[in-house]
C-alpha cells in the first residue's frame, strides 16, 4: 500500500499525543496498523491477535525510534520496530521517550497479577474476594497502615508447577520427586530381588552376624548334617525349603526397613535441593515446596526488575531463578542407587533375624519326625567331630571302609555304607553310636551281619 494514497488520520487512528518530540497513535484498523508498522501487524496477525486489544505506535520526531505497545487482558507487549519487532522491556521505551512519560506510562499495562498487586499497594483491600486470578496467590493479608507491606501467601497446589518454576521440568524428576516426597501411590518394595539375593546366600553371608550364621547353620544341619558351615547358598536353600514363610518374613522386614531408610535419605537430599529456592528474593519458605510468604512491595520490586508486567507469579519466579539462581537441581532418577542408609539400626534387624531363626528351631523341636531332638543333635556333633562325611578306613582293618550317609531323625540311627575291598561288596547298615564305634574299631564283628535299611518317611 502506498502511504501517499492513504491517510489513516481521517478515521482509522486515535491521536494520543503529537508534539515536537513524539507522536503517539492508537490504531483501529488493519490498514492503519500496517501503515505505522509493517505487515508484521497485518493480515493473519491482525485477525488472530491485534484486533482483540489496543495497539499503539510511539514515533520519535527526534530520531528514528519507533515502538509499538499492544495491550490485552494479559498486559502490555512492547516491541522495537527497528529491531525486527523484537520484544523489549518497559524501561527501553521509557528511556527512549523520557519527555513523554506522563502520557506514555498510563498506556503500559501489566497483567492481572501485576495490576492486582499494584492496586493493593495503592490501598485496595481484597479481603478474601480476589487474588488477581493468579493460582499461586492463596491469600493477601492486607496491611492498612502500609499497603505495600501487605503479606502475600503463595501456595503451590501442584508439584509439577513448583518444580517447573524452579527449572526442574523433566518427567523423570517430577516422578521421582512425587515418589519420594509426596503422598501419592507410594513406592513398591522390591521383594522379588531380595528373594533372589536370599537364594544366592547373600543374606546369610553378608547380613547375618556371627551368632545368626551359627543358628542358620545349626538349622540346616537338622536336614542335611553334611552341610558345610561356609556354604551359605546351600544353607539359605535348606532354610527356604523347610521354613518358607519364616524366610519371607525375614526378607520382608529387612527389605522394607532398608528401602524406607534409603527413601528417607533420598527424600532429604531432594528436599534440601529444592528447599528455600526464593529466599534470596525476599520470599520466605513456610513449608517446603508448597507454601511461601512475601509482601506486595517485594513482588512489585521484582516485576520492575524483570521489566515484564505481563508475567503471572509463576512466570516471575521462574525468570528470577533463571537470572539469579545458579544452584543445580534435579537428575534424581538414579539417586537411590548411589546413597547409603546412614541411620541403619543393625541391632534391631539382627534381633529380628534371631527371632525368625529361633522360631525355626522351635518348629524343629516340635516336629514329630524327630524322636529326640537333643540326641539327634548330639549324634550329628559326634559324627562331625570324629568321623566326618567322607569314606574312611576302619581303625582295625584298612580293607574295610565306611561312609556315613545321614542320621535318621525318627530313630536317631546312623545310616552307613560299608565297603569291603577284598570282597568288593558294599552294603548299608543302621547303627547307633555304639554300633558305629564298634564298626570302626571291631569291624570283624560285622562281617556276617546285615542290617536292612528302614525306609525314611
Amino acid at each position: 500500500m502506498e502511504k501517499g494514497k492513504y491517510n489513516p488520520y481521517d478515521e482509522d487512528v486515535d491521536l494520543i499525543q503529537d508534539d515536537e518530540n513524539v507522536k503517539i497513535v492508537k490504531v483501529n484498523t488493519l490498514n492503519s496498523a500496517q501503515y505505522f508498522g509493517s505487515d508484521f501487524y497485518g493480515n493473519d496477525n491482525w485477525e488472530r491477535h491485534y484486533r482483540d486489544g489496543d495497539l499503539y505506535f510511539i514515533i520519535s520526531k527526534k530520531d528514528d525510534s519507533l515502538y509499538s505497545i499492544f495491550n490485552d487482558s494479559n498486559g502490555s507487549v512492547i516491541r522495537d520496530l527497528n529491531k525486527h519487532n523484537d520484544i523489549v522491556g518497559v524501561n527501553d521505551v521509557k528511556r527512549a521517550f523520557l519527555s513523554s512519560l506522563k502520557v506514555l506510562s498510563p498506556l503500559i499495562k501489566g497483567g492481572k497479577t501485576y495490576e492486582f498487586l499494584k492496586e493493593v499497594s495503592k490501598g485496595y483491600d481484597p479481603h478474601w474476594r480476589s487474588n488477581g486470578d493468579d493460582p499461586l496467590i492463596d491469600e493477601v493479608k492486607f496491611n492498612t497502615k502500609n499497603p505495600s507491606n501487605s503479606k502475600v501467601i503463595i501456595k503451590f497446589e501442584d508439584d509439577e508447577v513448583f518444580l517447573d518454576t524452579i527449572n526442574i521440568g523433566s518427567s523423570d524428576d517430577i516422578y521421582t520427586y512425587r515418589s519420594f516426597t509426596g503422598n501419592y501411590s507410594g513406592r513398591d518394595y522390591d521383594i522379588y530381588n531380595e528373594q533372589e539375593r536370599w537364594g544366592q546366600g547373600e543374606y546369610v553371608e553378608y547380613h547375618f552376624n556371627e551368632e545368626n550364621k551359627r543358628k542358620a547353620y545349626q538349622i540346616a544341619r537338622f536336614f542335611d548334617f553334611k552341610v558345610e558351615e561356609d556354604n551359605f547358598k546351600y544353607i539359605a536353600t535348606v532354610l527356604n525349603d523347610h521354613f518358607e514363610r519364616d524366610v519371607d518374613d525375614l526378607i520382608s522386614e529387612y527389605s522394607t526397613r532398608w528401602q524406607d531408610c534409603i527413601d528417607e535419605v533420598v527424600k532429604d537430599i531432594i528436599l534440601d535441593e529444592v528447599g528455600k529456592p526464593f529466599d534470596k528474593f525476599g520470599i520466605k519458605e513456610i513449608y517446603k515446596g508448597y507454601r511461601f510468604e512475601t509482601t506486595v512491595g517485594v513482588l512489585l520490586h521484582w516485576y520492575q526488575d524483570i521489566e515484564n508486567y505481563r508475567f503471572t507469579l509463576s512466570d516471575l519466579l521462574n525468570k528470577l531463578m533463571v537470572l539469579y539462581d545458579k544452584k543445580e537441581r534435579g537428575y534424581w532418577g538414579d539417586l537411590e542407587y548411589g546413597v547409603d542408609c546412614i541411620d541403619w539400626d543393625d541391632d534391631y534387624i539382627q534381633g529380628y533375624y534371631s527371632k525368625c531363626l529361633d522360631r525355626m528351631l522351635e518348629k524343629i523341636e516340635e516336629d514329630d519326625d524327630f524322636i529326640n531332638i537333643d540326641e539327634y543333635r548330639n549324634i550329628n556333633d559326634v559324627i562331625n567331630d570324629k568321623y566326618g562325611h567322607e569314606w574312611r578306613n576302619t581303625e582295625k582293618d584298612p580293607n574295610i571302609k565306611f561312609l556315613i550317609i545321614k542320621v535318621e531323625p525318627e530313630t536317631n540311627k546312623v545310616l552307613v555304607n560299608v565297603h569291603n575291598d577284598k570282597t568288593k561288596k558294599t552294603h548299608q547298615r543302621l547303627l547307633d553310636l555304639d554300633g558305629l564305634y564298634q564298626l570302626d574299631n571291631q569291624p570283624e564283628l560285622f562281617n556276617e551281619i546285615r542290617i536292612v535299611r528302614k525306609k525314611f518317611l
Side-chain angles (χ1 to χ4, degrees):
M1 178 180 297
E2 296 179 19
K3 294 183 181 181
K5 294 182 180 181
Y6 169 67
N7 183 3
Y9 298 101
D10 289 340
E11 56 184 17
D12 288 354
V13 302
D14 297 328
L15 189 60
I16 307 300
Q17 179 168 331
D18 189 7
D19 58 29
E20 70 276 9
N21 297 313
V22 65
K23 179 184 289 187
I24 302 176
V25 296
K26 177 186 175 185
V27 301
N28 301 314
T29 65
L30 167 62
N31 289 338
S32 60
Q34 290 177 306
Y35 180 87
F36 290 101
S38 63
D39 288 340
F40 179 85
Y41 298 90
N43 301 325
D44 292 340
N45 277 344
W46 175 266
E47 295 295 328
R48 291 196 309 260
H49 190 50
Y50 291 113
R51 67 178 297 175
D52 296 323
D54 296 327
L55 178 61
Y56 301 88
F57 287 93
I58 302 93
I59 308 153
S60 175
K61 293 184 178 181
K62 297 292 187 180
D63 53 35
D64 62 351
S65 298
L66 179 59
Y67 291 81
S68 70
I69 299 175
F70 176 69
N71 293 334
D72 61 11
S73 60
N74 294 317
S76 297
V77 175
I78 303 171
R79 297 181 182 273
D80 187 341
L81 277 71
N82 291 321
K83 294 183 177 179
H84 308 289
N85 289 294
D86 286 347
I87 295 176
V88 296
V90 173
N91 290 337
D92 291 314
V93 69
K94 286 185 175 181
R95 281 192 292 266
F97 299 98
L98 291 174
S99 62
S100 304
L101 291 182
K102 288 185 179 181
V103 178
L104 189 60
S105 294
L107 300 181
I108 300 173
K109 305 294 184 181
K112 290 182 180 181
T113 303
Y114 174 78
E115 293 296 333
F116 169 74
L117 294 171
K118 190 166 69 171
E119 288 300 311
V120 174
S121 73
K122 293 178 179 179
Y124 167 64
D125 183 356
H127 298 288
W128 51 268
R129 296 186 301 271
S130 174
N131 64 350
D133 290 336
D134 193 301
L136 293 192
I137 298 179
D138 183 62
E139 181 185 3
V140 175
K141 298 179 179 179
F142 187 68
N143 187 322
T144 55
K145 294 182 179 179
N146 185 359
S148 290
N149 205 37
S150 299
K151 288 185 178 180
V152 180
I153 306 301
I154 301 170
K155 186 183 290 185
F156 289 89
E157 297 286 0
D158 188 335
D159 293 334
E160 188 170 350
V161 174
F162 170 67
L163 295 175
D164 187 64
T165 299
I166 63 174
N167 295 316
I168 300 173
S170 80
S171 58
D172 286 344
D173 282 334
I174 293 170
Y175 172 80
T176 302
Y177 180 87
R178 287 175 168 171
S179 297
F180 285 94
T181 71
N183 297 314
Y184 293 84
S185 59
R187 291 186 16 95
D188 294 329
Y189 296 107
D190 189 6
I191 301 296
Y192 176 79
N193 184 59
E194 293 303 318
Q195 289 172 334
E196 289 287 312
R197 294 180 61 206
W198 173 271
Q200 294 300 316
E202 293 182 24
Y203 271 73
V204 180
E205 183 173 6
Y206 300 115
H207 293 342
F208 284 10
N209 61 19
E210 292 304 316
E211 174 63 18
N212 287 326
K213 286 180 181 178
R214 184 192 65 78
K215 286 184 179 181
Y217 171 61
Q218 180 183 6
I219 293 168
R221 284 187 61 211
F222 280 110
F223 301 97
D224 186 347
F225 74 97
K226 294 186 291 185
V227 63
E228 296 178 359
E229 192 170 3
D230 60 353
N231 191 344
F232 304 112
K233 183 176 181 179
Y234 184 64
I235 291 173
T237 299
V238 172
L239 267 58
N240 192 68
D241 287 345
H242 294 277
F243 305 100
E244 183 176 3
R245 180 171 295 181
D246 295 297
V247 169
D248 286 345
D249 287 345
L250 184 153
I251 292 172
S252 178
E253 186 69 12
Y254 168 81
S255 60
T256 54
R257 282 185 169 270
W258 178 261
Q259 187 164 315
D260 286 345
C261 185
I262 291 296
D263 288 358
E264 282 299 312
V265 174
V266 173
K267 177 181 177 180
D268 289 344
I269 292 173
I270 291 175
L271 290 180
D272 182 66
E273 283 191 19
V274 304
K276 301 180 179 180
F278 313 123
D279 269 22
K280 63 173 66 68
F281 310 123
I283 302 170
K284 182 180 179 182
E285 181 179 81
I286 305 302
Y287 187 87
K288 284 187 177 182
Y290 179 65
R291 189 177 176 92
F292 301 82
E293 183 179 291
T294 187
T295 67
V296 168
V298 167
L299 293 178
L300 289 175
H301 162 78
W302 289 116
Y303 269 106
Q304 293 162 6
D305 181 84
I306 298 301
E307 296 185 43
N308 193 324
Y309 301 146
R310 292 170 60 89
F311 277 167
T312 64
L313 190 50
S314 178
D315 295 332
L316 175 68
L317 297 176
N318 178 257
K319 189 67 173 181
L320 291 174
M321 296 294 288
V322 170
L323 292 176
Y324 302 119
D325 183 80
K326 305 303 179 185
K327 184 176 180 178
E328 292 188 5
R329 299 178 178 87
Y331 305 101
W332 299 319
D334 295 327
L335 184 58
E336 64 180 301
Y337 306 112
V339 299
D340 196 8
C341 177
I342 56 178
D343 294 325
W344 180 248
D345 189 350
D346 195 60
D347 289 340
Y348 168 82
I349 202 66
Q350 294 299 334
Y352 192 86
Y353 292 158
S354 181
K355 291 178 181 178
C356 291
L357 295 169
D358 287 343
R359 213 161 50 231
M360 297 178 197
L361 286 169
E362 289 172 4
K363 290 178 181 179
I364 293 173
E365 292 173 356
E366 296 169 358
D367 193 338
D368 292 337
D369 287 343
F370 291 89
I371 188 172
N372 187 321
I373 192 72
D374 292 330
E375 183 182 30
Y376 179 87
R377 184 187 293 116
N378 179 63
I379 293 171
N380 276 298
D381 289 341
V382 170
I383 291 171
N384 282 336
D385 293 340
K386 188 171 184 178
Y387 299 107
H389 309 289
E390 303 292 337
W391 283 99
R392 59 173 284 155
N393 295 326
T394 60
E395 293 289 341
K396 293 293 184 178
D397 187 349
N399 292 311
I400 298 177
K401 56 186 178 181
F402 64 94
L403 171 68
I404 296 174
I405 305 302
K406 66 176 183 178
V407 179
E408 295 195 342
E410 68 271 24
T411 62
N412 281 342
K413 295 293 183 66
V414 183
L415 181 63
V416 184
N417 281 350
V418 181
H419 179 76
N420 190 317
D421 285 340
K422 289 182 178 179
T423 63
K424 307 299 183 184
K425 292 181 178 181
T426 302
H427 57 272
Q428 285 190 336
R429 297 180 180 181
L430 275 173
L431 307 173
D432 58 18
L433 282 181
D434 288 339
L436 189 60
Y437 176 83
Q438 289 179 349
L439 172 64
D440 190 26
N441 293 276
Q442 297 175 298
E444 65 276 3
L445 298 178
F446 292 88
N447 286 341
E448 302 300 327
I449 299 175
R450 299 291 183 267
I451 300 180
V452 180
R453 176 187 178 189
K454 294 182 180 180
K455 185 176 182 181
F456 178 67
L457 299 178

